[in-house]
Amino acid sequence: QIELKDSDIPIGSVIEGSIVHVDKSSFIIKSVDGQTAYLHRSTWGEYSMEQFNKGQIVKVEKTGFDSEHNKHVWKILSIV
């Protein structure tokens, strides 16, 4: 199994994974096939910190890269 980080995942990709880490400004999801996405608070849109818990399933789409802040931009599609 190969682990793919944010930088390895092409823009437009949709991944679904389990939240493996949560803190006050971000969370990390990891898919069954080894893809990992880091979602900073600035990309959460309408969602709040209270909606994210370790083990939850989240579906996200990579929408771009913010070169000014050096971070990948993800859009949350659903939370289960």
Side-chain angles (χ1 to χ4, degrees):
Q1 177 175 333
I2 299 171
E3 187 156 326
L4 295 174
K5 298 182 214 169
D6 279 356
S7 58
D8 300 324
I9 300 170
I11 292 172
S13 296
V14 174
I15 66 169
E16 184 173 72
S18 177
I19 296 176
V20 295
H21 173 81
V22 179
D23 63 33
K24 65 183 179 178
S25 64
S26 65
F27 68 91
I28 298 170
I29 67 168
K30 187 169 187 174
S31 69
V32 174
D33 62 358
Q35 295 177 315
T36 302
Y38 171 87
L39 280 84
H40 188 269
R41 172 176 248 150
S42 64
T43 65
W44 295 354
E46 72 218 40
Y47 297 97
S48 66
M49 186 65 225
E50 293 76 31
Q51 292 175 278
F52 303 112
N53 297 300
K54 201 170 182 181
Q56 269 182 311
I57 303 299
V58 179
K59 189 177 201 177
V60 296
E61 177 184 7
K62 187 172 185 179
T63 60
F65 181 77
D66 180 348
S67 58
E68 182 179 338
H69 297 101
N70 196 29
K71 66 181 174 185
H72 301 272
V73 181
W74 295 89
K75 177 181 178 185
I76 300 169
L77 301 176
S78 66
I79 303 172
V80 179

